Amino acid sequence: LESALNYFVAPLPSKSCVHDSPQRLQAMLPTSRQALKLATSLSTTGLKGLSTSSAASISFAHVPEAPKDPILGITEAFLKDPNPNKINLGVGAYRDDDCKPVVLESVREAERRIAGKHYMEYLPMGGMKEFVQESVKLAYGDDAQCLKDGNVAAVQSLSGTGSCRLMADFMKRFMPHSDVYISVPTWANHHNIWRDANVGIKPYRYYKAETRGLDFEGFLEDLSAAPRGSVFLLHACAHNPTGVDPTPEQWAQISKAMKERDIFPFFDMAYQGFASGDCERDAKAIRLFLADGHQLGCSQSYAKNMGLYGQRVGAFSIVTGSKKEAAAVESQMKNIARPMYSNPPLHGALLVTKILQEPALKNLWYDEVKMMAHRIILMRSVLRKNLEELNSPWKWNHITDQIGMFAYSGLSPEHVDKLAQQHSIYMTRNGRISMAGITSKNVNRLSEAIHHVICEKN
């Protein structure tokens, strides 16, 4: 190949060559023809004609299989189980009292209203403008001063995961000396997101196993020890996986401590409305921080509270110090999104915008999200009541003290294994129960099974 290419990159013969002897020119032709023939063959057949020593070899034999997601493993085991009374408490998606997926009527009506009325063109890098405007109002309040002042940089994102990833990459570029502090425990994907963005990760204490509640003292100690300029990842409501939220008074102390330490709060708000049934109440922590004068970031997702799991629709925003700062930050958000996914999808943004802009649809959605939250709250109460009536050796007040999609039961990995093996009840091995998987039809069996495994002698 090298020999052939040398002929084609060599300079053309000089004029003097024209006067070379006919014999010399004739001698050059066969070699030139061979080079041309070889190059033509390579251009059509690639390297097939070369020896293996000349060709580069590509192999993926060194690539290991990635570990399975623990939720996927639970689902696979559940599906293989032939028991007709099996229970899946691992899936983090809402189910009705028949354990069926739900599409909200507000969403169906929004679909009917937008059907056939829009082109399928690309959205801008920052997404649909009306969607972003409605989202930040839902998070910060219709009358938020930061919105009136134009201090909020915001873009449409690929749900909560996408928002967090945009924040992680933003930190890497523009807050390179800041680590992100993540609660122990947290949603597992938080670690993946910031790790893959090459941002330093530090833990802060959050859950106290002895009380199955908040380790408030440990939280404040870790907060006080964090360097100035650090970023704390906070769950705005319905902490995943524990269901343990600070009280309003504790949030006020956390806000004050962060303000004094110049800590940047980043709220992951995946469950607004879904926690208490009230969107305003579930955003109280964020609005408290705003009232205290914080600049902050927020990730929003419409997966849980509108049931738009597969639409991948959310928003990412940062409250800055000025309108000028907001314009610059927003331009960089878009710049980060461009090589990552170019621009966000259209359909989910249309649905959310239609629901939030039309008062009748918005009120219907408020009613529906309240219904979902209250069904889960009811199942918490029934589960606790059943366990206490069985004279369980454990206290179960934490089941109703916690809030949102998940309950941190306190069950050990061994308890969880026995529930699966002996009772066909499946959950993650940290004892996290997806409350949406509990129904009026299976809560009694679940209560009895939990009571059995914790009382069983080894």
Side-chain angles (χ1 to χ4, degrees), residues 328-396:
V329 169
E330 187 171 305
S331 72
Q332 294 295 348
M333 291 175 169
K334 296 172 184 176
N335 197 41
I336 292 169
R338 176 61 174 163
M340 191 181 291
Y341 55 83
S342 190
N343 45 14
L346 173 65
H347 189 67
L350 287 171
L351 293 173
V352 174
T353 304
K354 179 62 69 173
I355 291 169
L356 295 182
Q357 282 188 337
E358 298 198 8
L361 276 183
K362 190 173 185 179
N363 288 332
L364 174 58
W365 172 61
Y366 280 154
D367 289 341
E368 290 182 301
V369 76
K370 183 183 295 184
M371 175 273 298
M372 291 190 290
H374 284 185
R375 192 188 87 73
I376 286 178
I377 292 170
L378 175 61
M379 289 300 99
R380 288 181 179 275
S381 297
V382 175
L383 178 61
R384 175 184 175 180
K385 176 175 175 289
N386 284 359
L387 288 165
E388 289 175 345
E389 288 179 351
L390 288 168
N391 294 318
S392 171
W394 290 12
K395 292 182 179 180
W396 292 99

Side-chain angles (χ1 to χ4, degrees), residues 164 167-183 190-204 226-227 229-233 264 266:
C164 287
M167 179 60 187
D169 276 70
F170 184 87
M171 285 181 62
K172 182 63 178 177
R173 295 189 188 192
F174 302 105
M175 306 171 75
H177 304 297
S178 298
D179 291 330
V180 63
Y181 281 72
I182 296 179
S183 67
H190 281 149
H191 290 278
N192 299 332
I193 291 166
W194 268 269
R195 183 195 65 227
D196 282 7
N198 294 310
V199 174
I201 299 173
K202 299 287 180 63
Y204 68 89
S230 298
V231 174
F232 265 63
L233 173 57
F264 185 86
F266 179 70

Side-chain angles (χ1 to χ4, degrees), residues 108-374:
R108 287 298 192 209
E109 181 57 29
E111 281 189 313
R112 287 189 280 270
R113 296 186 188 186
I114 68 172
K117 295 182 180 178
H118 296 270
Y119 292 109
M120 302 298 171
E121 296 292 298
Y122 291 122
L123 286 177
M125 286 185 290
M128 182 184 295
K129 183 178 180 181
E130 296 85 352
F131 165 83
V132 174
Q133 290 172 339
E134 293 298 329
S135 293
V136 293
K137 285 194 294 184
L138 187 67
Y140 301 130
D142 289 340
D143 299 321
Q145 191 62 45
C146 59
L147 297 179
K148 293 178 181 178
D149 294 340
N151 293 353
V152 180
V155 295
Q156 183 183 335
S157 66
L158 304 186
S159 202
T161 301
S163 296
C164 287
R165 183 55 194 257
L166 289 175
M167 179 60 187
D169 276 70
F170 184 87
M171 285 181 62
K172 182 63 178 177
R173 295 189 188 192
F174 302 105
M175 306 171 75
H177 304 297
S178 298
D179 291 330
V180 63
Y181 281 72
I182 296 179
S183 67
V184 180
T186 191
W187 178 47
N189 215 24
H190 281 149
H191 290 278
N192 299 332
I193 291 166
W194 268 269
R195 183 195 65 227
D196 282 7
N198 294 310
V199 174
I201 299 173
K202 299 287 180 63
Y204 68 89
R205 283 170 283 176
Y206 190 86
Y207 179 75
K208 196 168 187 176
E210 295 79 8
T211 62
R212 300 188 180 99
L214 181 66
D215 184 359
F216 188 55
E217 295 76 15
F219 188 153
L220 289 183
E221 285 177 9
D222 291 342
L223 174 57
S224 298
R228 293 184 178 277
S230 298
V231 174
F232 265 63
L233 173 57
L234 305 171
H235 298 228
C237 60
H239 184 275
N240 181 2
T242 69
V244 174
D245 285 353
T247 65
E249 295 75 20
Q250 288 170 334
W251 274 124
Q253 292 184 59
I254 293 167
S255 173
K256 180 182 178 182
M258 286 192 173
K259 189 72 175 173
E260 290 173 351
R261 294 288 303 161
D262 195 24
I263 300 295
F264 185 86
F266 179 70
F267 287 93
D268 187 356
M269 186 160 61
Y271 298 96
Q272 186 179 7
F274 197 92
S276 68
D278 183 342
C279 288
E280 297 297 302
R281 177 179 169 183
D282 290 349
K284 285 285 188 181
I286 292 177
R287 297 177 189 180
L288 169 67
F289 275 63
L290 286 177
D292 287 346
H294 286 273
Q295 295 182 37
L296 55 84
C298 181
S299 162
Q300 292 172 264
S301 168
Y302 293 98
K304 304 296 191 301
N305 58 11
M306 286 193 183
L308 298 176
Y309 303 97
Q311 298 297 338
R312 310 311 297 144
V313 58
F316 167 46
S317 57
I318 292 179
V319 178
T320 70
S322 69
K323 193 171 184 178
K324 182 180 179 181
E325 284 183 10
V329 169
E330 187 171 305
S331 72
Q332 294 295 348
M333 291 175 169
K334 296 172 184 176
N335 197 41
I336 292 169
R338 176 61 174 163
M340 191 181 291
Y341 55 83
S342 190
N343 45 14
L346 173 65
H347 189 67
L350 287 171
L351 293 173
V352 174
T353 304
K354 179 62 69 173
I355 291 169
L356 295 182
Q357 282 188 337
E358 298 198 8
L361 276 183
K362 190 173 185 179
N363 288 332
L364 174 58
W365 172 61
Y366 280 154
D367 289 341
E368 290 182 301
V369 76
K370 183 183 295 184
M371 175 273 298
M372 291 190 290
H374 284 185

